[in-house]
Amino acid sequence: MSIMKILTFPDPRLRTVADPVEKFDKSLKKLTDDMLETMYSENGIGLAATQVNVHKRVIVMDISEERNEPRVYVNPEFEIKSNKSLFTFSEGCLSVPGFNEEITRPDQIILKWQNLDGDRLEDEPEGLLTVCIQHEIDHLEGKLMVDYLSTLKRDRIRNKLNKRI
Ligand code: NI
């Protein structure tokens, strides 16, 4: 396994829309192993392939406190079941290091994805998992958590991150 370099906002490559995965082979398994190692090394709870400059529809997550429940979602997509129930969470992102911002998202969704064998799965996740999934699927669409903030706030974050480079 190896640790991959994570792109940070405002790197334009984070705006790439990822392609669907068609081959469920060893290289896909290796990619998810490397992504999990990278995510754990940065103490993150989720990572999308876009963030490591691989533009395929793959995300990894672990929302457990013990950091021992790795999850892999290939070609994930969701439908909002109801817009009535919302969940506000102070979100962070390994591509926007050092910032946490409160974002409100629908918390009743139907999630569909494939596993590493290509099997099709479906679930109705709850709470943190729901929010995290939507955050990661946004990455695959080239969207970032800063897009939910005001222009003023986004510019402030951009300026601070640009100074660090
Ligand atoms: Ni993120």
Side-chain angles (χ1 to χ4, degrees):
M1 292 206 281
S2 52
I3 291 177
M4 307 171 91
K5 191 182 176 305
I6 297 176
L7 304 176
T8 53
F9 174 71
D11 192 310
R13 290 171 290 182
L14 287 167
R15 298 304 187 178
T16 313
V17 177
D19 294 321
V21 170
E22 283 164 7
K23 276 189 193 164
F24 293 80
D25 56 8
K26 271 186 195 158
S27 70
L28 179 64
K29 169 82 170 95
K30 162 116 176 55
L31 171 66
T32 58
D33 285 345
D34 289 347
M35 284 172 62
L36 281 165
E37 193 181 7
T38 305
M39 179 189 80
Y40 285 126
S41 78
E42 295 290 333
N43 212 20
I45 60 174
L47 187 70
T50 310
Q51 293 177 272
V52 289
N53 202 26
V54 176
H55 301 289
K56 289 183 183 167
R57 304 190 79 84
V58 177
I59 65 184
V60 297
M61 285 177 29
D62 188 340
I63 57 164
S64 70
E65 265 177 43
E66 298 78 17
R67 318 292 288 146
N68 59 2
E69 289 173 31
R71 297 166 187 263
V72 172
Y73 300 91
V74 181
N75 297 329
E77 52 186 73
F78 71 93
E79 246 173 69
I80 295 168
K81 224 173 110 182
S82 161
N83 263 315
K84 283 183 195 147
S85 181
L86 300 172
F87 190 90
T88 300
F89 183 67
S90 177
E91 297 188 20
C93 179
L94 295 177
S95 294
V96 191
F99 294 90
N100 282 83
E101 299 291 341
E102 286 206 341
I103 294 172
T104 300
R105 300 182 189 263
D107 80 341
Q108 294 190 333
I109 64 169
I110 299 166
L111 175 70
K112 293 178 183 177
W113 75 100
Q114 286 173 277
N115 64 15
L116 285 172
D117 295 321
D119 303 323
R120 290 178 195 280
L121 302 163
E122 191 175 320
D123 192 15
E124 294 184 19
E126 288 178 351
L128 178 58
L129 186 56
T130 314
V131 165
C132 197
I133 284 277
Q134 290 177 68
H135 174 118
E136 300 308 331
I137 291 177
D138 274 353
H139 278 299
L140 304 180
E141 297 297 332
K143 196 169 177 186
L144 293 164
M145 61 177 244
V146 294
D147 300 346
Y148 292 88
L149 310 176
S150 67
T151 311
L152 185 72
K153 245 184 184 174
R154 186 163 57 247
D155 287 348
R156 204 176 288 155
I157 293 174
R158 182 189 286 116
N159 289 339
K160 281 190 185 161
L161 288 177
N162 274 336
K163 268 184 212 154
R164 282 193 212 169
I165 296 165

